[in-house]
Amino acid sequence: MARAAGTDPSLEGGSDSGASRTLQAYNELRALLTSGHYEPDSRLTESDLTARLGVSRGTLRSVLARLAQEGYVTAEAHRSARTRSFSVEEALEILETREVLESALAASAAERATDADIAAMTETCKQMWEHQVPGGREEYWKLNRKFHEQIRQAARQTTLARFVDSLLYPLVMQQYRDADRQHPRTGSVREHEAILATIVTRNPEAASAAMRHHLSAARHALQLHIGTSNEPTASADR
């Protein structure tokens, strides 16, 4: 039988239903990791995860093996794992690399975005303004990630998108965001609107530059925060 598109052969469990359940468990645990459900360097035990995901230990080990290979967790003895943590140097390298890759995605989006793509991004920016208030940071952060994902979809460039995924950027920001910050970074929405304007006008060079400026501003905010604190925390607003 032909393998379904998008199925990873490394997660197949000997049957279509087994492969499907393993892939579902992988997606569920990956989502928990990238959403910040677990703190950096948290121990993940088989007993807890099998109960949460509703899978067997064998299935869980397949899932953890893939997540370890992709860098989301680090394997430990006694069949457990830990969530990844990043040094300041690693975090900054990831942010710098993301600037390059997402700038290229923005340029592609300026060339390939449909009217529906642009309408969706416009609505997201509108919602971002509504949460640019004290206490609105968490919802703003979700909308921020949504906007970047919409650009990736509009770019229709699967290779670039796959490289961005491999950077583990959400884990970095979960580790380094400033838990005491109650509102988004000043200027963040305007930076998103500037990116959107270049996509609307179909200007790939300007789109690349606008995205580079936006992500550079976020990276410098992180560096400045680290430089004024003894704790490795930083702004999560991108």
Side-chain angles (χ1 to χ4, degrees):
M1 181 179 297
R3 182 180 297 125
T7 300
D8 189 324
S10 68
L11 294 182
E12 292 188 359
S15 69
D16 287 346
S17 60
S20 176
R21 186 67 195 97
T22 305
L23 183 58
Q24 181 181 346
Y26 163 82
N27 288 331
E28 289 176 4
L29 184 51
R30 182 177 179 272
L32 288 170
L33 293 168
T34 57
S35 69
H37 181 82
Y38 298 104
E39 293 292 323
D41 200 35
S42 295
R43 188 165 180 264
L44 305 172
T45 63
E46 279 194 354
S47 58
D48 290 339
L49 291 177
T50 52
R52 174 177 290 278
L53 300 174
V55 295
S56 68
R57 290 179 181 270
T59 296
L60 177 64
R61 289 167 194 165
S62 296
V63 170
L64 288 175
R66 178 178 177 181
L67 289 170
Q69 184 179 30
E70 294 174 350
Y72 289 93
V73 302
T74 55
E76 288 194 325
H78 309 298
R79 294 172 179 170
S80 65
R82 282 190 179 275
T83 56
R84 276 287 302 277
S85 63
F86 302 85
S87 69
V88 172
E89 292 76 13
E90 287 175 322
L92 292 176
E93 283 187 7
I94 288 171
L95 292 175
E96 290 169 355
T97 305
R98 185 179 183 235
E99 289 175 29
V100 175
L101 296 178
E102 287 218 27
S103 295
L105 282 174
S108 291
E111 295 178 321
R112 302 174 182 177
T114 65
D115 290 343
D117 292 327
I118 291 171
M121 286 185 275
T122 301
E123 178 60 26
T124 300
C125 282
K126 178 182 176 182
Q127 293 176 22
M128 290 171 113
W129 276 119
E130 296 171 0
H131 292 88
Q132 184 83 352
V133 295
R137 188 189 68 163
E138 291 302 320
E139 187 60 33
Y140 182 90
W141 189 47
K142 294 176 183 177
L143 291 167
N144 199 340
R145 290 182 62 183
K146 182 179 181 180
F147 181 84
H148 285 266
E149 179 59 32
Q150 287 170 335
I151 288 180
R152 290 167 62 177
Q153 292 175 357
R156 291 168 175 79
Q157 230 292 359
T158 56
T159 301
L160 275 175
R162 186 167 63 250
F163 283 132
V164 172
D165 275 340
S166 71
L167 293 177
L168 307 178
Y169 177 78
L171 300 187
V172 171
M173 297 315 298
Q174 288 293 344
Q175 179 177 344
Y176 283 95
R177 65 177 178 164
D178 183 0
D180 295 327
R181 189 181 182 96
Q182 295 302 308
H183 55 83
R185 178 173 59 82
T186 302
S188 180
V189 183
R190 297 192 189 281
E191 291 165 13
H192 286 87
E193 288 186 328
I195 296 167
L196 176 58
T198 64
I199 294 173
V200 170
T201 57
R202 307 294 181 183
N203 189 329
E205 291 80 12
S208 177
M211 179 63 80
R212 192 71 177 260
H213 170 75
H214 168 55
L215 295 179
S216 177
R219 176 169 56 84
H220 283 97
L222 178 139
Q223 288 176 293
L224 288 172
H225 190 84
I226 291 174
T228 57
S229 171
N230 292 325
E231 297 296 327
T233 55
S235 169
D237 303 312
R238 303 189 289 279

